């Protein structure tokens, strides 16, 4: 054993490969931070992005993700061009269905990879912009990356499947930036070209994950400005960004923002689509939001998934002036630090640039969202690394007691007492807060209950709490929450829509005409708030169908059919149900076959044909159709649900119920008993 024993050998090994061992430590802390979320489920928008989205359940759709933004959601009108998010969702479903473990491991692995990227990027930037001894270059970035890995303000991005876009984009961007910095230091033309190519590919993948990655060329220009050279090296990234905008215009019809639609939303005062805020009003409001984000990073208390933020209408409001002063102070500090602290300046400008697209001119649905902090938090971590590295690089303090006495030296390294215990204690506290916040994320109702506690004026939080209470079967609590949401924001569409659908479900299950009339009233109110809403019109047609106003329902479904290919397919099923109610079996078969031939969800169409054969009394043919649906998509739970219901009371029913549950379907206790007992 070498001198110093095991401890000395460990220190020598770490000193030999500090980046490798530091990366392992960051990975370990990242996984530890989210180790209590491996069984956490899905939340809110995950319902239509993930759980109800049939296009994630078959990898044959994968090429279409790159040119069909309508596949992003099961709902019409929610098209987004983020194909890499769909790819990651489809792979998660392929590996584990809707069991949470695969989805959680993917999110935690991406967060860990991003945290390692933060560590290596901060170290590389320090080496490039402010050469220091290796110990000073790695210790600060290591602590900063650990703070990033354990920070509770980032829990929304890691725990919320619908925030996967921000997680992917940030991970691709930080690694793209790292390879760009590494390329600048290579003398070999081949090595430099390979690293640049890898950086550009990662940037392109970031753009295909979320639009926020468009800030990457700006980050490269910031780095070039700080170094005083290398501006032309950003040109390939600029070219890729331009190509991406052209691709967006081709796929979505607009490269950046549809300003005509934005003006229409403002005129309609529709908060659900980011309306009711002009561009200037949004700018003044966001001036107050940016300091709030800084406060969340410095003091992560009062975390909230849906926060109410009062709108500002003038730059002269005290809160707006304070926010603008904070932003100006950060910009001036970055300018002054260009020579003395370029890495700190890089972190500040990264933070502001990454916030810019989502916290400036363009009014988004929510004024403030914690998952928007994920990419800016990398800049915050780089700034923290710079501060810690500067602390490490300071010379020791020398105190001369007297001319005859020897000088006393006091080390100022960050890992000397008391800095090391402070850093370790801070990381431990952040880990504890993250674990505590993770407990909220494990229960969808609890996360929204915490939201209304932190932000009781948030109509969106009350509405989402109602959705979760409804899913738990607490219809009275859900109705009260929806009513509270409507009282807070009478001009919002979601509360009356949800009140309408809850009365529709109750009216159908009880056969209560009064509930159906209430459903009609609330759905008509939602249409007054958002005229032409496809979802409101759809459920209004469903309500009329339940009320026995068949012709009116049929006319409404037929008028919806021409609005989009997705609605055309959906209306085939609705019209087929009406035909089945009228015992017009041939018409129903024709409609199901239209859905099968022209639609995108063959499993639902085949199961519709199976249901039709049951109505005709052809049980064996119905079972054959159900097995054909399994062949078309072996990972879909719906065919097993159909077979469990069709074979209730048999051992095969129990088998198919187990298979449906294994693939993500959740039976109610009442339905489980009915199937097992054959009732």
């Amino acid at each position: 054993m070498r001198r110093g024993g095991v401890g000395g050998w460990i220190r020598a090994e770490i000193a030999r490969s500090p980046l490798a061992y530091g990366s392992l430590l960051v990975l370990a802390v990242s996984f530890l931070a989210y180790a209590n979320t491996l069984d956490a489920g899905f939340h809110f928008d995950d319902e239509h992005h993930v759980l109800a989205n049939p296009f994630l359940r078959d990898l044959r759709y994968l090429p279409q993700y790159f040119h069909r933004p309508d596949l992003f959601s099961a709902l019409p009108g929610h098209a987004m061009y983020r194909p890499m998010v769909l790819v990651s969702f489809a792979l998660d479903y392929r590996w584990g269905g809707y069991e949470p473990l695969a989805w959680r491991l993917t999110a935690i692995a991406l967060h860990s990879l991003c945290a390692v990227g933060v560590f290596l990027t901060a170290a590389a930037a320090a080496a490039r912009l402010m050469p220091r001894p290796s110990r000073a270059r790695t210790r600060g970035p290591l602590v900063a990356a650990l703070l990033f890995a354990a920070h509770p303000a980032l829990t929304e991005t890691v725990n919320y499947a619908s925030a996967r876009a921000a997680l992917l984009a940030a991970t691709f961007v930080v690694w793209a930036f790292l390879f760009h910095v590494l390329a600048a230091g290579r003398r070999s033309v081949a090595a430099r070209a390979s690293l640049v190519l890898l950086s550009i590919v990662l940037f392109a993948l970031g753009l295909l994950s979320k639009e926020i990655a468009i800030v990457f060329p700006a980050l490269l220009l910031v780095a070039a400005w700080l170094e005083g050279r290398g501006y032309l090296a950003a040109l390939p990234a600029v070219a890729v960004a331009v190509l991406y905008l052209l691709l967006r215009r081709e796929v979505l019809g607009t490269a950046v923002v549809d300003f005509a639609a934005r003006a229409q939303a403002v005129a309609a005062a529709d908060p659900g689509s980011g309306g009711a805020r002009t561009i200037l009003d949004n700018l003044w409001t966001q001036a107050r939001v940016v300091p709030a984000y800084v406060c969340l990073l410095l003091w992560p208390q009062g975390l909230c998934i849906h926060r109410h933020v009062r709108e500002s209408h003038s730059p002269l409001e005290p809160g707006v002036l304070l926010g603008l002063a904070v932003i100006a102070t950060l910009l001036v500090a970055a300018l002054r630090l260009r020579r003395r602290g370029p890495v700190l300046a890089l972190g500040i400008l990264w933070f502001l640039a990454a916030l810019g697209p989502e916290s400036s001119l363009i009014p988004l649905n929510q004024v403030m969202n914690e998952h928007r902090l994920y990419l800016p938090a990398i800049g915050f971590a780089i700034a923290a690394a710079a501060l810690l590295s500067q602390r490490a690089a300071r010379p020791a303090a020398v105190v001369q007691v007297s001319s005859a006495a020897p000088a006393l030296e006091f080390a100022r390294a960050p890992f000397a007492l008391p800095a090391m215990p402070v850093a370790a204690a801070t990381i431990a506290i952040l880990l504890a807060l993250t674990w505590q916040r993770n407990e909220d994320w494990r229960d969808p109702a609890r996360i929204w209950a915490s939201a209304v506690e932190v932000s009781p004026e948030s109509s969106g939080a009350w509405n989402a709490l109602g959705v979760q209470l409804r899913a738990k079967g607490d219809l009275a609590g859900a109705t009260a929450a929806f009513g509270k949401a409507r009282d807070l924001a009478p001009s919002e569409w979601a509360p009356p829509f949800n009140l309408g659908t809850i009365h529709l479900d109750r009216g159908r299950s009880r056969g209560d005409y009064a509930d159906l009339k209430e459903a009609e009233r609330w759905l008509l109110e939602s249409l007054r708030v958002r005229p032409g809403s496809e979802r409101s019109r759809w459920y209004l047609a469903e309500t009329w169908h339940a009320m026995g106003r068949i012709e009116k329902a049929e006319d409404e479904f037929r008028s919806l059919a021409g609005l989009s290919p997705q609605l055309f397919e959906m209306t085939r099923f609705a019209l087929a149900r009406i035909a089945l109610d009228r015992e017009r079996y041939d018409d129903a078969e024709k409609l199901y076959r239209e859905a099968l031939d022209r639609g995108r969800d063959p499993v639902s169409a085949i199961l519709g044909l199976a249901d039709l054969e049951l109505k005709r009394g052809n049980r064996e043919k119905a079972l054959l159709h159900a097995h054909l649906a399994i062949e078309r998509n072996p990972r879909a739970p719906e065919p097993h649900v159909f077979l469990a219901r069709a074979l209730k009371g048999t051992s095969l029913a129990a088998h198919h119920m187990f298979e449906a549950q294994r693939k993500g379907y959740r039976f109610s206790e009442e339905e489980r008993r009915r199937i097992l007992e054959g009732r």
Side-chain angles (χ1 to χ4, degrees):
M1 181 65 67
R2 300 177 183 178
R3 186 172 58 184
V6 175
W9 176 79
I10 292 175
R11 285 192 293 273
E13 284 296 310
I14 293 176
R16 189 175 295 115
S17 302
L19 293 178
Y21 284 104
S23 298
L24 289 175
L25 179 58
V26 173
L27 282 174
V29 171
S30 300
F31 271 92
L32 177 62
Y34 293 91
N36 64 330
T37 67
L38 295 179
D39 59 348
F42 298 95
H43 303 270
F44 202 48
D45 285 342
D46 296 345
E47 179 65 34
H48 63 92
H49 285 317
V50 178
L51 299 177
N53 192 343
F55 311 110
L56 305 179
R57 303 172 193 162
D58 194 334
L59 291 179
R60 286 180 294 181
Y61 288 111
L62 195 147
Q64 298 183 44
Y65 298 160
F66 292 88
H67 63 89
R68 291 189 54 185
D70 59 309
L71 301 188
F72 195 76
S73 170
L75 295 177
H78 285 69
M80 289 188 180
Y81 189 58
R82 298 174 179 178
M84 289 306 299
V85 177
L86 291 177
V87 170
S88 74
F89 285 168
L91 292 175
D92 281 344
Y93 183 82
R94 180 75 174 179
W95 293 328
Y98 288 126
E99 287 299 318
L101 182 61
W103 299 77
R104 298 300 310 124
L105 286 176
T106 298
I108 296 170
L110 286 170
H111 176 61
S112 304
L113 189 62
C114 189
V116 171
V118 170
F119 168 50
L120 297 178
T121 298
R128 184 76 184 166
L129 297 174
M130 281 186 71
R132 300 281 186 197
S134 62
R135 290 178 67 189
R137 285 206 310 263
T138 56
R139 286 178 169 178
L142 176 59
V143 173
L146 293 174
L147 293 173
F148 178 88
H151 206 292
L154 308 182
T155 51
E156 179 176 320
T157 311
V158 184
N159 286 316
Y160 192 16
S162 291
R164 176 76 62 85
L167 184 57
L168 279 169
T171 303
F172 284 130
V173 165
V174 73
W175 281 89
F177 189 86
L178 171 63
F179 287 124
H180 177 86
V181 172
L182 294 177
R186 292 293 186 272
R187 294 182 179 179
S188 166
V189 174
R192 188 184 306 122
S194 298
L195 289 170
V196 168
L197 178 61
L198 186 54
S199 173
I200 292 301
V201 169
L202 290 172
F203 170 46
L205 292 174
L207 288 171
L208 295 176
S209 301
K210 191 178 181 183
E211 304 80 2
I212 187 65
I214 199 78
V215 302
F216 180 68
L219 299 178
L220 299 188
L221 291 173
V222 166
W225 172 73
L226 291 170
E227 197 173 358
R229 58 179 176 172
Y231 292 97
L232 293 180
L235 285 179
V238 173
V240 169
V242 172
L243 289 174
Y244 165 73
L245 293 176
L246 293 174
L247 178 61
R248 273 181 62 88
R249 188 175 67 178
E250 182 68 23
V251 172
L252 287 172
T254 178
V256 185
V257 177
D258 187 342
F259 286 100
R262 176 62 55 205
Q264 183 180 2
V266 171
D270 178 11
S273 60
R277 296 195 310 277
T278 65
I279 288 176
L280 280 178
D281 285 349
N282 191 69
L283 184 63
W284 309 138
T285 305
Q286 292 298 331
R288 292 174 24 242
V289 168
V290 171
Y293 282 138
V294 175
C295 290
L296 281 181
L297 289 171
L298 292 173
W299 188 259
Q301 286 295 305
L303 298 177
C304 183
I305 188 174
H306 198 297
R307 191 183 305 270
H308 172 77
V309 179
R310 179 186 57 81
E311 294 178 17
S312 292
H313 304 287
S314 168
L316 300 180
E317 292 181 18
V320 176
L321 290 173
L322 178 61
L324 292 173
V326 169
I327 296 169
T329 300
L330 291 173
L331 286 171
V332 170
L335 292 172
R336 292 176 63 87
L337 287 165
R338 181 185 181 188
R339 299 300 180 195
R340 293 185 294 110
V343 181
L344 180 55
L346 172 64
I348 293 171
L349 293 175
W350 182 306
F351 175 79
L352 293 174
L355 272 181
E358 294 182 314
S359 296
S360 55
L361 295 174
I362 301 169
L364 300 177
N365 184 1
Q366 287 184 238
V367 176
M368 182 177 178
N369 231 327
E370 285 166 16
H371 69 254
R372 295 178 193 158
L373 259 183
Y374 197 79
L375 182 59
I378 295 174
F380 180 83
I382 291 173
L387 289 172
L388 291 166
S389 295
Q390 289 176 9
R391 170 77 173 161
R394 289 181 184 177
V398 179
V399 178
Q400 191 78 31
V401 178
S402 69
S403 58
L408 301 177
E409 292 189 0
F410 298 92
R412 287 179 175 168
F415 283 81
L417 289 175
M420 176 56 178
V422 170
T426 301
I427 294 168
I429 291 171
L430 291 177
L431 277 173
L433 292 173
T434 295
W435 268 57
Q436 183 181 35
R437 183 60 172 165
N438 288 343
E439 290 299 317
D440 291 340
W441 280 100
R442 295 179 68 185
D443 182 354
R446 179 171 169 175
I447 192 70
W448 290 107
S450 73
V452 299
E453 181 179 351
V454 171
S455 186
E457 295 180 342
S458 172
S459 169
W462 282 104
N463 182 70
L465 177 60
V467 170
Q468 297 306 325
L469 293 174
R470 179 181 183 175
K472 286 192 165 187
D474 183 1
L475 298 185
T479 303
F482 292 143
K484 177 71 172 177
R486 180 183 175 275
D487 292 341
L488 287 168
S491 64
E492 288 200 7
W493 166 83
F497 171 78
N498 283 320
L499 284 167
T501 56
I502 204 169
H503 281 289
L504 172 59
D505 289 347
R506 195 153 52 195
R508 279 172 167 169
S509 63
R510 297 176 179 177
D512 188 339
Y513 193 81
D515 263 320
L516 295 175
K517 285 294 291 181
E518 277 294 289
E520 181 184 34
R521 180 173 75 86
W522 285 115
L523 289 168
L524 287 172
E525 180 173 323
S526 73
L527 277 170
R528 283 192 290 272
V529 174
R530 188 183 290 179
S533 165
E534 295 168 357
R535 293 181 70 190
S536 294
R537 290 178 61 190
W538 178 277
Y539 282 98
L540 190 57
E542 293 275 10
T543 302
W544 289 334
H545 182 201
M547 295 170 75
R549 299 159 71 178
I550 304 299
E551 290 76 11
K552 196 166 186 177
E554 194 169 17
D555 289 344
E556 186 67 13
F557 282 130
R558 291 191 186 281
S559 68
L560 285 166
L563 297 181
S564 71
Q566 190 173 2
L567 278 170
F568 175 85
E569 180 181 8
M570 292 170 65
T571 54
R572 299 308 91 186
F573 297 114
L575 291 169
R577 290 199 309 272
I578 292 175
L580 286 176
D581 290 344
R582 293 175 165 181
E583 298 186 355
R584 288 160 36 184
Y585 297 142
D586 291 342
D587 290 346
E589 182 173 2
K590 180 182 177 182
L591 289 161
Y592 282 131
R593 294 204 178 276
E594 280 184 357
L596 183 60
D597 294 339
R598 298 175 57 182
R600 300 162 298 175
D601 185 10
V603 169
S604 295
I606 294 170
L607 290 178
L609 290 170
D611 188 47
L612 169 64
E613 294 303 333
L614 278 183
K615 292 275 196 307
R616 283 172 165 169
N618 298 329
R619 188 168 182 271
E620 293 302 320
K621 200 169 182 180
L623 298 180
L624 285 174
H625 277 302
H627 285 288
L628 177 61
I630 293 175
E631 291 177 12
R632 291 294 294 267
N633 187 358
R635 304 189 70 83
E638 290 85 0
H640 294 286
V641 175
F642 179 89
L643 288 167
R645 291 168 178 167
L647 298 168
K648 59 186 178 182
T650 68
S651 58
L652 281 175
H655 163 74
H656 286 293
M657 188 165 63
F658 170 78
E659 286 296 315
Q661 290 175 324
R662 191 171 65 85
K663 294 172 182 177
Y665 188 84
R666 293 292 177 264
F667 293 94
S668 68
E669 285 302 317
E670 176 61 26
E671 186 173 19
R672 283 173 57 86
R673 285 195 296 270
R674 284 203 308 267
I675 289 173
L676 294 174
E677 296 170 8
R679 293 188 283 116

